[in-house]
Amino acid sequence: MNDFEIICHGEEETREFAVKLANKLASGDVIALEGDLGAGKTTFTKGLASGLGIKRNVNSPTFTIIKEYQGRMPLYHMDVYRLADEEEDLGFDEYFEGEGVTVIEWAHLIAEQLPESLLTIFIYRHDSDSRKIVLKPAGERYVKLCKEFFK
Ligand SMILES: Nc1ncnc2c1ncn2[C@@H]1O[C@H](COP(=O)(O)OP(=O)(O)OP(=O)(O)O)[C@@H](O)[C@H]1O
């Protein structure tokens, strides 16, 4: 009931949707990004980065775990898919509580380290060129953001 969804036809629509969402984001926002391999998580993050005024090319941080970009505010792009057990505490709190927007791909893998209030975005393959994007807000800030964004 609290979910919001949209179908994006083609990579460009997904990017444009993310650009528009980025315009609503504020420093301190945390986005958990979920979806299978090739669903479009990186594509979506590229759109967010562009909407945050980041000019650099954004690639998947699979091997580095965290990449930082500077736009109208910092973007911390994390991919925790390959996070080894012994590396599990990388001090994520500092990112979640600091300035900038944090996007975490495969966020459920560090579920116990995530803040209570965050926006989870699921990307599902609808068919070869379209994706269903489901936004699941947790906390007042994100419920309000989604309601305003989808009205
Ligand atoms: N509507 C769409 N939205 C996003 N990507 C799409 C769409 N239609 C087709 N695609 C294609 O799906 C692929 C998505 O790849 P992307 O690297 O963004 O996925 P990912 O979820 O980050 O994968 P991985 O977990 O392997 O890094 C791209 O090749 C893109 O062109």
Side-chain angles (χ1 to χ4, degrees), residues 46-132:
K46 283 175 191 272
L48 275 186
S50 148
L52 291 174
I54 291 158
K55 304 274 182 260
R56 271 173 63 202
N57 187 34
V58 168
N59 313 306
S60 177
T62 303
F63 294 100
T64 50
I65 301 174
I66 301 175
K67 279 191 186 168
E68 184 177 339
Y69 301 89
Q70 191 61 54
R72 66 179 163 86
M73 61 186 129
L75 169 68
Y76 303 107
H77 182 199
M78 303 181 182
D79 182 337
V80 297
Y81 188 68
R82 285 171 201 274
L83 198 62
D85 287 348
E86 65 272 21
E87 291 175 325
E88 245 174 32
D89 192 1
L90 283 185
F92 291 117
D93 289 9
E94 280 185 34
Y95 293 95
F96 303 152
E97 286 159 17
E99 272 182 30
V101 170
T102 305
V103 174
I104 314 132
E105 297 192 25
W106 302 99
H108 67 275
L109 297 176
I110 58 160
E112 63 295 337
Q113 297 181 64
L114 297 173
E116 266 175 41
S117 173
L118 86 177
L119 178 61
T120 303
I121 299 180
F122 297 90
I123 306 179
Y124 301 102
R125 197 183 296 264
H126 195 61
D127 61 37
S128 64
D129 257 353
S130 55
R131 302 290 186 265
K132 180 158 94 170

Side-chain angles (χ1 to χ4, degrees), residues 19-36:
V19 168
K20 283 189 204 144
L21 182 68
N23 292 328
K24 302 282 178 206
L25 295 178
S27 188
D29 281 343
V30 177
I31 294 179
L33 206 47
E34 305 286 356
D36 290 341

